[in-house]
């Protein structure tokens, strides 16, 4: 280039720098102004191009394996992070990179191996949602979030598609393991802590599925008929708390309809409530291939369509040209996306080294798994003395499941099964029994497809002969029976034997083991409850270990051996029988209707119903045993907004207690629950004899737990409030009354 040319070129560069805005240095408004219509349209549509049309809305599909596009409906981000769920659109001339979105709640889900690359890209499988909520400990959940966020950042992902926090309306919901609780306060606080943890690492979250995605059956078309009151007090309340307290960068709208309108096309939900009322400033993305009218989604404020299809681009281009989609709407949505993009690692031009400390995270995963396991029954059989011999029964003892299937699956490097966890801690197993189970499982699995995220094959339960039981019982008086259930995205569980109910073989095993062994410990490896009525009579101890992540076997052993004193509490009620659960009458689809489910129980979900109707539960919401005991004293108010109670460890070993505050409010409408959780706090580890004064604020920065939804909006009734300091929804220790 001649000198003249060089000067001209430099001049042009300066002009370009001055005129062409860039992400990161220019405002979103300037960027939007500089974009072509096509660039804008492509920015609001993900870049998945493998299919021309989304999988059909399939109202009749409910079997996980039959789910349309099973295995195909997850976009593969071919160029950036293999196995991530989707990519955004890049406009290089404006410095806009393609943002990477990846699942999910129990840990990052990306492909662990890459073609032509010897490195591995495993992620840590942390305990699933129900276990995290069972810890009732925001600090611990934040720690998990931070560890997951660290992997997200180091593996080059910008936004994690988590947490999942729909209410556990019914125990059969297939994705309950990803979700937290039947109570919105527990769900909201858990989600807020998780989001704070992940986002502390400089990456984003997508709180999902907004809203009322409480079943998998017909999830792409189901119309959920829910009263405003139940929506506000239950199904939106946890989202409200989490969104206001932790500001997730993105929100994922749900597949279902709410009162006739798809969540992603619902202006009331996404604009009036989320943005106008709650002040949300991030952007909303659809769930993968959710709903069917891109223009309606754009108008409603569903800013990004994921994973994105060519048809959506065509429809939106045409809608802009014909004026059906006003440019202001498109600009508004693009702007929201760009504002978040600017905060992401890619938006900031940061590099990443694929170097998470998986060993350190495994330690966190194990420790936190022990914080959320719930000891349901113990007649003194637990903890087990070190070095004992165990007759270990049940497939799930030798093939323990760390998590569920579907988008919440994590490609971990390994999983520790319970047999290995016990052996590592110095227990010995009855060898013939262990050998038989191990070869049975290995043989059956050799006949099955390999595990991948959408389908996790499990062997059929091994039939144990009477002779095998007798021979094991001759070697040890101690039996541990592990029962498990898998669940996953795309299908609900069923109220049938072998799923929600134990089947004949499981009952027979328990009965025969009970007859032959002096001590029987039952371990449950499941993401959501099974009906346990009768199991208490056949066991000395029951540990609900949930789906505890990749360190499962070590963590369960930590509790069984007493290395860790259990402090988890149920975030759901365990009913005596399935029909006792009010939503059992209207779960999946309401009788005589097509694609409609009516939430007729209204506010009477979980303990709100059981305590109001006086129906006994098997294990109440908030319940969980410890190896020590606690005494409550001096429950009093400090001013109008803080309660204080003193908790003393009155037993022989160190332990933690979850103090729950339930409130009886003066009712502003009919058919209200008698008692609602309004606050909780977990004590630090208390040494035997040690006391702590627990101060519990009643107000939160986001919501007022004393408020009720009325025809005129939120209201706090004046009158007499009765507060209970309790150890579960049914175990009130002390009460006091306050006037408001
Ligand atoms: C799930 C979402 C998930 C997305 C991407 C959908 O099928 O419902 O929870 O984030 O896929 O994998």
């Amino acid at each position: 280039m001649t000198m003249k040319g060089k000067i001209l070129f430099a001049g042009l560069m300066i002009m370009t720098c001055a005129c062409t805005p860039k992400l990161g240095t220019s405002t979103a408004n300037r960027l939007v102004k500089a974009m072509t219509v096509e660039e804008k349209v492509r920015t609001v549509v993900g870049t998945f191009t493998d299919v021309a049309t989304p999988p059909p809305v399939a109202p009749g599909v409910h079997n996980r394996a039959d789910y349309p596009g099973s295995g195909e409906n997850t976009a593969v981000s071919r160029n950036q992070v293999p196995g991530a769920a989707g990519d955004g659109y890049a406009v290089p001339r404006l410095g806009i990179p393609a943002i990477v979105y990846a699942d999910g709640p129990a840990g990052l889900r990306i492909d662990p191996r890459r073609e032509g690359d010897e490195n591995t890209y495993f992620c840590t499988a942390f305990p699933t949602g129900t276990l995290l909520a069972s810890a009732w400990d925001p600090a611990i959940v934040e720690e998990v979030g931070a560890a997951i966020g660290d992997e997200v950042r180091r593996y080059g992902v910008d936004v994690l598609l988590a947490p999942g926090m729909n209410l556990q309306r019914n125990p059969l919901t297939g994705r309950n393991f990803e979700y937290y609780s039947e109570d919105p306060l527990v769900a909201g606080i858990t989600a807020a802590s998780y989001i704070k943890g992940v986002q502390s690492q400089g990456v984003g979250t997508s709180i999902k599925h907004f809203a009322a995605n409480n079943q998998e059956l017909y999830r792409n078309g189901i119309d959920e008929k829910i009263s405003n009151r139940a929506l506000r007090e239950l199904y939106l309340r946890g989202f409200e708390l989490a969104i206001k307290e932790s500001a997730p960068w993105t929100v994922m709208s749900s597949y279902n309809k709410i009162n006739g309108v798809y969540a992603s096309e619902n202006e009331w939900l996404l604009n009036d409530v989320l943005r106008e009322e709650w002040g949300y400033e991030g952007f909303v993305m659809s769930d993968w291939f959710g709903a069917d009218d891109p223009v309606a989604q754009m108008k409603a404020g569903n800013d990004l369509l994921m994973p994105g299809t060519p048809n959506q681009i065509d429809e939106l281009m045409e809608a802009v040209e014909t004026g059906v989609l006003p440019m202001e709407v498109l600009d508004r949505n693009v702007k929201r996306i760009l504002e978040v993009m600017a905060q992401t690692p890619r938006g900031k031009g940061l590099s990443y080294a694929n170097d998470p400390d998986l060993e350190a995270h495994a330690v966190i995963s194990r420790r936190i798994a022990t914080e959320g396991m719930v000891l349901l029954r113990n007649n003194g059989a637990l903890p087990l003395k070190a070095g004992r011999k165990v007759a270990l029964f049940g497939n799930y003892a030798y093939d323990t499941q760390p998590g569920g299937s579907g988008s919440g699956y994590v490609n971990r490097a390994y999983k520790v099964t319970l047999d290995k966890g016990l052996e590592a801690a110095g227990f010995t197993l009855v060898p013939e029994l262990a050998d038989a189970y191990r070869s049975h499982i290995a043989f059956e699995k050799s006949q099955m497809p390999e595990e991948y995220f959408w389908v996790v094959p499990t062997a059929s339960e091994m039939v144990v002969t009477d002779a095998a039981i007798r021979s094991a019982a001759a070697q040890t008086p101690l039996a541990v029976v592990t029962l498990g259930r898998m669940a996953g995205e795309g299908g609900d569980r069923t109220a049938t034997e072998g799923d929600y109910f134990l089947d004949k073989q499981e009952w027979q095993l328990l009965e025969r083991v009970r007859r032959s062994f002096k001590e029987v410990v039952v371990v449950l490896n499941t993401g959501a409850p099974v009906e346990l009525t009768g199991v208490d009579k056949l066991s000395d101890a029951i540990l609900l270990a949930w789906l505890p992540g990749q360190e499962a076997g070590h963590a369960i052993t930590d509790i069984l051996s007493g290395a860790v004193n259990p402090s988890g509490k149920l975030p759901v009620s365990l009913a005596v029988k399935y029909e006792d659960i009010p939503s059992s009458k209207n779960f999946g689809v309401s009788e005589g209707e097509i694609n409609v489910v009516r939430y007729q129980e209204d506010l009477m979900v979980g303990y709100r119903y059981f305590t109001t109707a006086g129906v006994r539960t098997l294990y109440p919401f908030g319940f969980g045993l410890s190896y020590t005991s606690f005494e409550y004293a001096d429950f009093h108010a400090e001013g109008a907004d803080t309660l204080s109670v003193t908790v003393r460890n009155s037993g022989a070993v160190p332990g933690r207690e979850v103090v729950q505050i339930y409130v009886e409010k003066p009712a502003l409408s009919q058919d209200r629950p008698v008692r609602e959780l309004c606050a909780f706090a977990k004590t630090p580890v208390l040494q035997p004899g040690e006391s702590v004064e627990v101060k519990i604020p009643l107000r939160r920065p986001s919501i007022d737990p004393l408020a009720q939804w009325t025809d005129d909006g939120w209201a706090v009734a004046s009158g007499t409030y009765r507060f209970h300091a309790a150890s579960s929804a049914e175990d009130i220790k002390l009460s006091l009354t306050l006037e408001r």
Side-chain angles (χ1 to χ4, degrees):
M1 201 183 279
T2 62
M3 184 52 78
K4 204 172 154 196
K6 276 184 188 160
I7 292 168
L8 195 67
F9 179 74
L12 271 173
M13 283 299 288
I14 290 164
M15 269 175 65
T16 314
C17 294
C19 304
T20 311
K22 290 271 185 242
L23 187 77
T25 51
S26 312
T27 61
N29 272 337
R30 281 200 62 211
L31 287 163
V32 172
K33 275 207 190 96
M35 288 169 100
T36 64
V37 174
E38 187 180 342
E39 282 168 345
K40 291 180 196 173
V41 164
R42 287 183 178 274
T43 299
V44 297
V45 180
T47 56
F48 180 68
T49 49
D50 278 359
V51 287
T53 46
V57 174
V61 175
H62 63 281
N63 183 329
R64 276 187 287 282
D66 293 347
Y67 187 68
S70 162
E72 297 147 36
N73 85 332
T74 295
V76 176
S77 43
R78 284 162 299 276
N79 304 322
Q80 301 190 71
V81 180
D87 278 22
Y89 180 72
V91 188
R93 70 182 186 90
L94 301 176
I96 299 173
I99 295 305
V100 177
Y101 303 90
D103 290 306
L108 180 64
R109 184 174 64 81
I110 55 173
D111 288 346
R113 294 179 204 283
R114 297 175 186 174
E115 239 176 75
D117 179 348
E118 284 184 355
N119 299 313
T120 54
Y121 301 83
F122 289 109
C123 298
T124 308
F126 289 91
T128 61
T130 319
L131 187 147
L132 293 185
S134 302
W136 296 64
D137 185 341
I140 271 177
V141 180
E142 198 168 326
E143 200 183 336
V144 172
I148 296 177
D150 178 72
E151 293 188 17
V152 170
R153 186 169 51 82
R154 287 175 191 274
Y155 277 136
V157 170
D158 297 287
V159 175
L160 180 75
L161 304 171
M165 60 151 305
N166 295 97
L167 213 71
Q168 295 198 18
R169 172 178 178 245
N170 183 286
L172 301 182
T173 299
R175 297 183 81 171
N176 272 348
F177 70 93
E178 295 180 61
Y179 302 155
Y180 295 134
S181 174
E182 69 187 24
D183 179 82
L185 191 75
V186 175
I189 291 174
T190 310
S193 315
Y194 181 103
I195 292 165
K196 282 183 202 159
V198 175
Q199 294 191 169
S200 71
Q201 302 304 302
V203 292
T205 54
S206 194
I207 191 170
K208 67 189 188 186
H209 308 90
F210 189 61
N213 190 172
N214 307 303
Q215 63 182 59
E216 289 297 279
L217 183 70
Y218 309 148
R219 69 174 180 172
N220 295 83
I222 190 77
D223 184 6
E224 324 225 325
K225 304 285 189 199
I226 315 175
S227 76
N228 271 334
R229 191 176 66 159
L231 268 174
R232 293 297 194 148
E233 294 200 18
L234 298 179
Y235 300 101
L236 297 181
R237 200 59 160 161
F239 280 102
E240 180 178 1
L241 186 157
I243 285 168
K244 286 183 179 169
E245 291 189 20
S246 65
W249 291 6
T250 79
V251 169
M252 188 190 293
S253 56
S254 56
Y255 286 125
N256 52 285
K257 293 177 180 168
I258 300 171
N259 297 324
V261 186
Y262 278 114
S264 63
E265 297 175 4
N266 200 319
E267 201 164 341
W268 168 79
L269 183 71
L270 303 184
N271 193 45
D272 302 359
V273 175
L274 177 66
R275 291 184 164 108
E276 297 291 322
E277 278 185 37
W278 300 353
Y280 181 62
E281 288 181 345
F283 75 81
V284 177
M285 72 177 83
S286 69
D287 198 348
W288 267 227
F289 303 108
D292 49 16
D293 183 346
V295 175
Q297 289 174 303
M298 285 297 118
K299 286 184 176 168
N302 191 109
D303 310 293
L304 176 64
L305 306 179
M306 286 303 283
T309 68
N311 276 4
Q312 288 169 329
I313 295 172
D314 294 347
E315 277 185 54
L316 291 179
M317 285 300 288
E318 197 187 318
V320 174
E321 272 158 33
T322 55
V324 172
L325 178 62
M327 191 59 84
E328 308 84 73
V329 171
L330 185 61
D331 286 353
R332 175 196 70 179
N333 297 3
V334 171
K335 192 174 147 231
R336 287 179 188 147
I337 296 171
L338 293 178
E339 275 166 356
V340 171
M341 268 188 180
Q343 303 175 54
T344 61
R346 262 190 192 69
K348 289 179 172 164
L350 303 179
S351 57
Y352 54 95
N354 292 312
D355 60 349
D357 187 344
L358 295 181
E359 277 170 33
H361 290 177
V363 173
I364 297 177
S365 184
R366 172 175 179 169
R367 178 163 48 80
I368 281 156
T370 62
E371 291 281 339
M373 292 185 189
V374 186
L375 183 61
L376 295 176
R377 171 176 165 75
N378 186 18
N379 70 2
L382 295 180
L384 303 173
K385 286 225 166 59
R388 291 197 60 189
K389 190 165 193 175
V390 182
L392 187 60
F393 294 93
N395 277 11
Y396 281 77
Y398 301 89
D399 189 21
T400 315
Q401 295 300 335
S405 61
S407 58
Y409 183 86
V410 182
N411 289 300
R412 76 264 157 180
Y414 63 87
K415 66 173 181 180
V416 180
T417 51
L418 179 54
D419 57 333
K420 300 288 185 215
L422 286 167
E423 285 177 337
F427 291 91
T428 53
L429 305 181
V430 169
E432 311 83 90
L433 206 53
D435 289 348
Y437 271 108
R438 285 170 182 157
S439 17
H440 164 80
I441 291 164
F443 173 75
E444 286 216 352
K445 284 206 161 176
S446 71
Q447 311 296 304
M448 294 174 166
E450 274 221 6
E451 175 170 324
Y452 85 120
F453 78 99
W454 202 258
V455 180
V456 178
T458 49
S460 66
E461 192 62 43
M462 186 181 87
V463 179
V464 189
T465 62
D466 287 341
I469 292 178
R470 270 198 305 276
S471 142
Q475 299 177 46
T476 174
L478 170 64
V480 173
V481 182
T482 307
L483 303 174
R485 294 289 184 264
M486 266 306 280
E489 181 181 347
D492 290 317
R493 296 168 59 213
T494 52
T496 54
E497 289 189 4
D499 201 340
Y500 186 68
F501 305 119
L502 303 194
D503 64 19
K504 285 192 189 64
Q505 195 184 328
E506 289 169 324
W507 282 120
Q508 280 170 8
L509 178 66
L510 283 176
E511 281 156 11
R512 290 183 300 149
V513 166
R514 172 76 288 177
R515 280 200 293 275
S516 305
F517 290 84
K518 212 168 132 263
E519 300 151 77
V520 179
V521 176
V522 172
V523 174
L524 297 161
N525 179 202
T526 169
V530 289
E531 192 168 292
L532 291 172
T533 306
V535 175
D536 46 347
K537 303 206 173 54
L538 299 172
S539 62
D540 300 294
I542 305 176
L543 176 66
L544 180 49
W546 299 119
L547 294 170
Q550 67 182 39
E551 290 285 320
H554 289 319
I556 297 171
T557 304
D558 286 340
I559 297 284
L560 296 180
S561 67
V564 178
N565 187 357
S567 62
K569 302 271 192 169
L570 288 175
V572 290
S573 312
L574 301 198
V576 173
K577 28 185 219 307
Y578 181 67
E579 306 81 70
D580 287 349
I581 301 164
S583 62
S584 65
K585 295 174 191 66
N586 276 286
F587 180 66
V589 65
S590 288
E591 214 182 310
E593 309 219 45
I594 297 170
N595 250 351
V596 169
V597 60
R598 294 183 188 276
Y599 285 32
Q600 273 168 344
E601 73 283 355
D602 206 49
L603 293 180
M604 296 300 168
V605 174
Y607 73 89
R608 285 174 164 75
Y609 167 74
F610 293 112
T611 52
T612 306
V615 172
R616 202 171 64 82
T617 55
L618 190 63
Y619 298 109
F621 175 84
F623 173 81
L625 297 171
S626 164
Y627 295 146
T628 188
S629 50
F630 299 97
E631 279 169 7
Y632 287 55
D634 193 19
F635 185 35
H636 65 276
E638 291 187 354
D641 293 326
T642 305
L643 300 179
S644 166
V645 65
T646 299
V647 178
R648 179 172 165 271
N649 181 346
S650 52
V653 289
R656 303 182 73 189
E657 167 71 330
V658 177
V659 179
Q660 300 154 47
I661 306 291
Y662 295 88
V663 60
E664 289 174 30
K665 308 169 182 170
L668 288 174
S669 53
Q670 303 273 307
D671 303 320
R672 290 198 55 86
V674 288
R675 190 180 301 161
E676 288 165 273
L677 185 76
C678 67
F680 63 85
K682 195 164 186 172
T683 68
V685 175
L686 297 177
Q687 297 303 317
E690 194 186 350
S691 299
V692 67
E693 186 187 352
V694 185
K695 288 191 195 284
I696 307 175
L698 284 176
R699 281 195 196 284
R700 297 198 68 84
S702 55
I703 63 163
D704 184 344
L706 302 187
Q708 305 170 48
W709 184 257
T710 69
D711 291 345
D712 300 321
W714 290 108
V716 178
S718 11
T720 308
Y721 285 75
R722 193 141 177 83
F723 293 94
H724 306 292
S727 184
S728 84
E730 294 177 17
D731 185 8
I732 291 171
K733 304 288 190 190
L734 298 165
S735 303
L736 62 80
T737 297
L738 289 179
E739 293 297 323
R740 290 209 165 231

